[in-house]
Amino acid sequence: MEGLDALKISEDKKKYIVDLLNPVLEEMVAECIHRMPRDPVPFMLEWLEQKKVTEEDKQLSPEQKATLIADNMKLEEEIKRVRGQLQECSKLAASDKNHDDQEEEDEDDDEPPPPDFENRAVPSKARGGVSAEAYGEYNKKKDFVAPVIAKTDEQKERLKAVLSKSFLFSSLEDNDFGIIIGAMKEVQVKAKERVIVQGDVGDFLFVIESGDFDCIVNTGGTEKVVKTCGSGDVFGELALLYNCPRAATVQSKGASVCWQLDRDTFNTIVKEAAQKKRDRYDAFLSKVPLLESMDAYERSQLADALVSEVFADGQTVMTQGEVGKKFYILEEGAAVAMKNGTKVMDFGVGDYFGELALITDQPRAATVIAKGSCKMLSVDSRSFKRLLNVNDLLERSNKYK
């Protein structure tokens, strides 16, 4: 403690200076001399803050560090998403400023519907333009008044049964679900009728109660049926979610019944929850090898159907010999497949299993057990067969053999 003996302070304070204060000051002064900042005070303050962070970081366990890193990555993704939304809002605002005539048309659209609104047939063409989605206090749920279209009790029960099959609506809160029931309109569709047309502006989405509909895409003048929708399926929502033209033409195969929902009600009640779910899973699904050939719209359809399930360490996800009802994708954690008591495969993030029993309608070929806490994304059998390429799966389904 040379040099401190002349100071009239206690031995405890001298020891504090030597053991704790001096090492920090010496390190800080050495770094300041090395950097030679024009103003040393802000530099030293920043250095001390960084020193504190570094020391706290040393106290964390590897598990805590991994958790913090994962949280930071999620925050970065959220920031990117919000920045994208802000940029889109700016573009939309600029577009509105340059199109006064369009704004006047949109104001007309906000006027109350005519008395015969409920009895009008489904328009074959949507209106000529879509304004930017409204942002502001008046667009909040508490201020929004959805249309209420009169229905019989029998119609309400039918509609509830239909919406319960749709992943877009089934997770709504009771109050929001009731608003959607009131706002939807029953539409009788004739055979071969085109309910929406590729390239048109979309003002409505449709939920199918009965009948089948072909989704047709026109590429280079050639029309191709890309998929067929059935009871409980939704179509036309893409134009409302992303404020873009219709991505495909949808045509009925026979006489059918649909329920129509307007843009404003969808945007206010349903869009936020649906968009959050799609944004959350889209990046993850695009990295799953099985789903590489799916386009963004197909992945969004799959995202709507996904159900998140959490399994504890050692918990059985599916059992060898049972009837298969779900297809699984591992989102977080790890799992192991056992066949007749012998391990046959390890699963990591992005791996999938359970498809074989759904494709072949045979019992489960293996038991899958969670290896540590893990999170699975599951899809029921009906959605699996509708949304995924079964032929591709058949080529890959030899992993238990």
Side-chain angles (χ1 to χ4, degrees):
M1 299 186 184
E2 294 182 8
L4 298 178
D5 293 337
L7 297 176
K8 295 180 180 181
I9 57 177
S10 66
E11 291 301 316
D12 287 342
K13 290 182 179 179
K14 291 179 181 179
K15 182 174 174 54
Y16 175 80
I17 292 172
V18 172
D19 294 344
L20 296 177
L21 193 57
N22 274 354
V24 175
L25 291 175
E26 289 172 359
E27 187 179 352
M28 181 179 66
V29 171
E31 186 67 18
C32 192
I33 293 172
H34 174 69
R35 300 287 184 180
M36 295 182 67
R38 179 172 296 180
D39 187 349
V41 175
F43 174 84
M44 289 188 288
L45 290 173
E46 184 178 348
W47 185 91
L48 287 169
E49 185 64 32
Q50 185 59 45
K51 178 74 173 176
K52 178 183 177 183
V53 172
T54 303
E55 293 300 321
E56 290 176 347
D57 188 59
K58 292 178 181 178
Q59 305 299 319
L60 297 174
S61 67
E63 292 78 11
Q64 289 173 320
K65 289 182 180 180
T67 300
L68 286 174
I69 291 172
D71 290 342
N72 285 338
M73 291 178 66
K74 290 179 181 178
L75 285 173
E76 288 175 0
E77 289 298 322
E78 181 66 15
I79 290 170
K80 288 180 182 178
R81 188 181 69 81
V82 172
R83 282 177 178 168
Q85 290 179 338
L86 289 174
Q87 291 174 354
E88 186 64 23
C89 290
S90 298
K91 292 178 183 178
L92 293 172
S95 176
D96 276 351
K97 187 176 180 180
N98 295 327
H99 294 282
D100 293 337
D101 291 341
Q102 184 62 58
E103 287 181 355
E104 292 175 3
E105 178 186 335
D106 291 335
E107 290 173 0
D108 292 339
D109 288 345
D110 291 334
E111 294 177 0
D116 63 338
F117 172 75
E118 293 183 21
N119 298 321
R120 291 188 177 182
V122 181
S124 59
K125 292 282 185 179
R127 61 182 170 86
V130 178
S131 67
E133 299 302 338
Y135 292 92
E137 292 297 320
Y138 65 88
N139 197 39
K140 291 184 178 179
K141 273 188 186 180
K142 64 181 180 181
D143 297 325
F144 174 74
V145 179
V148 178
I149 297 175
K151 298 176 185 69
T152 65
D153 290 341
E154 184 265 342
Q155 282 180 309
K156 291 179 182 178
E157 290 304 315
R158 284 165 41 212
L159 182 51
K160 287 178 183 178
V162 173
L163 295 184
S164 66
K165 300 177 186 177
S166 170
F167 296 95
L168 203 58
F169 301 100
S170 59
S171 60
L172 289 175
E173 296 180 0
D174 290 344
N175 184 55
D176 290 341
F177 193 78
I179 293 173
I180 295 298
I181 292 288
M184 297 193 87
K185 173 187 175 184
E186 184 175 356
V187 178
Q188 300 288 334
V189 183
K190 299 176 182 178
K192 303 299 181 181
E193 181 178 346
R194 295 196 164 189
V195 182
I196 64 176
V197 177
Q198 182 177 346
D200 279 357
V201 174
D203 287 329
F204 304 95
L205 66 74
F206 298 85
V207 183
I208 303 171
E209 177 179 353
S210 62
D212 294 320
F213 290 76
D214 285 332
C215 298
I216 305 167
V217 173
N218 188 319
T219 305
T222 302
E223 291 190 337
K224 179 182 178 182
V225 176
V226 293
K227 74 170 184 176
T228 299
C229 299
S231 177
D233 290 336
V234 179
F235 64 86
E237 83 288 359
L238 190 63
L240 308 191
L241 277 171
Y242 301 106
N243 201 29
C244 62
R246 297 294 194 190
T249 294
V250 177
Q251 177 178 294
S252 62
K253 298 182 76 171
S256 309
V257 177
C258 292
W259 291 90
Q260 172 185 294
L261 181 65
D262 67 279
R263 168 187 287 272
D264 290 340
T265 304
F266 173 80
N267 284 347
T268 306
I269 306 299
V270 185
K271 181 177 179 177
E272 182 180 358
Q275 189 64 61
K276 282 182 178 178
K277 185 175 182 181
R278 289 185 171 186
D279 289 344
R280 176 184 175 189
Y281 290 133
D282 182 71
F284 173 75
L285 294 176
S286 66
K287 297 175 184 177
V288 177
L290 174 66
L291 311 177
E292 287 177 345
S293 61
M294 298 180 80
D295 60 30
Y297 177 68
E298 291 170 331
R299 283 199 307 273
S300 72
Q301 295 288 295
L302 179 58
D304 289 341
L306 291 174
V307 176
S308 181
E309 299 185 41
V310 177
F311 295 87
D313 182 28
Q315 185 176 353
T316 299
V317 181
M318 66 182 203
T319 304
Q320 182 178 352
E322 70 180 2
V323 176
K325 296 181 180 179
K326 294 180 182 178
F327 167 69
Y328 295 92
I329 303 173
L330 188 55
E331 182 182 14
E332 295 177 9
V336 60
M338 309 289 291
K339 189 171 183 178
N340 300 323
T342 303
K343 185 172 79 169
V344 293
M345 177 166 280
D346 288 306
F347 296 111
V349 173
D351 288 337
Y352 59 91
F353 55 87
E355 78 284 0
L356 189 60
L358 303 187
I359 295 171
T360 62
D361 291 323
Q362 294 178 355
R364 296 290 197 193
T367 294
V368 176
I369 301 171
K371 193 176 180 181
S373 178
C374 64
K375 184 184 291 185
M376 305 280 184
L377 301 176
S378 66
V379 181
D380 66 84
S381 178
R382 177 178 173 273
S383 299
F384 169 85
K385 293 175 180 177
R386 177 173 61 87
L387 296 171
L388 298 177
N389 188 330
V390 174
N391 291 329
D392 189 17
L393 288 169
L394 279 170
E395 295 175 4
R396 300 166 180 250
S397 62
N398 60 353
K399 59 188 176 186
Y400 300 133
K401 297 180 181 178

